[in-house]
Amino acid sequence: MNVHKNGGFTILEMLVVLFLVMSLTAIVSKFSLKIAETKELERFLTQLQLDIQYIQTYSMSQRQYIALKMEGSTNRYTIQKDIYTHLYERSFPKGVEFLPAESSIQTLVYNYSGNVMTAGTMAFKTPQGKKKVIITLGRGRARIE
């Protein structure tokens, strides 16, 4: 009795399994990149709102004028007390652009009592479409649409 057992896989079976694994990996990585891009945009817009609240609080506590200035050419914004004193600056994430033509304000200024001097909108072009940061009169609260 001559029994011959073959315990291996054929190359065709291995190629099918490899194709399935690579296809699933490509699908998952594409979705994870979109999710990461969306989260990065959400973090940027949340940070912008927090920075606006910060400069309002800073202006009241220090009894000074303070400004948040959008710089579309360098894709960043700076927070400054005056022309020479920059408190800090933040860069926009990849794919985000400031749209000065569609924005009514480029420099957001708070006075020493925490009231906004320049109310209006700041428009941004993002991979998820256009976003607007709206600054209301009075206390100058920011909301995103």
Side-chain angles (χ1 to χ4, degrees):
M1 188 165 195
N2 210 356
V3 178
H4 183 62
K5 285 193 172 181
N6 222 352
F9 298 103
T10 66
I11 193 148
L12 184 60
E13 291 170 331
M14 287 192 293
L15 287 175
V16 168
V17 170
L18 183 62
F19 173 74
L20 290 173
V21 169
M22 289 178 64
S23 297
L24 289 173
T25 302
I27 291 169
V28 168
S29 66
K30 183 176 181 176
F31 285 123
S32 65
L33 287 174
K34 279 199 175 284
I35 290 171
E37 184 180 88
T38 302
K39 290 293 182 186
E40 185 178 17
L41 178 62
E42 287 176 10
R43 278 192 299 273
F44 167 72
L45 293 172
T46 301
Q47 186 62 54
L48 180 59
Q49 280 184 304
L50 291 172
D51 286 342
I52 290 170
Q53 290 174 356
Y54 168 75
I55 66 172
Q56 182 181 26
T57 304
Y58 187 91
S59 70
M60 289 186 296
S61 68
Q62 301 296 317
R63 308 285 297 162
Q64 294 179 349
Y65 283 79
I66 189 165
L68 183 143
K69 183 179 181 183
M70 291 292 167
E71 298 175 5
S73 60
T74 57
N75 281 339
R76 67 180 181 165
Y77 65 88
T78 59
I79 294 179
Q80 53 196 55
K81 289 196 289 187
D82 55 39
I83 296 173
Y84 305 108
T85 310
H86 292 270
L87 295 178
Y88 60 90
E89 63 184 47
R90 294 199 195 277
S91 297
F92 299 162
K94 181 182 170 187
V96 176
E97 294 178 36
F98 178 65
L99 302 173
E102 296 181 27
S103 302
S104 60
I105 53 175
Q106 292 185 13
T107 303
L108 178 64
V109 180
Y110 282 90
N111 64 15
Y112 59 89
S113 62
N115 292 326
V116 68
M117 301 292 293
T118 51
T121 61
M122 293 183 278
F124 296 92
K125 178 183 167 191
T126 70
Q128 282 82 31
K130 290 185 181 175
K131 301 285 184 184
K132 287 187 177 182
V133 177
I134 300 169
I135 311 296
T136 57
L137 282 174
R139 287 293 179 188
R141 296 294 179 207
R143 73 176 194 275
I144 297 171
E145 289 184 355

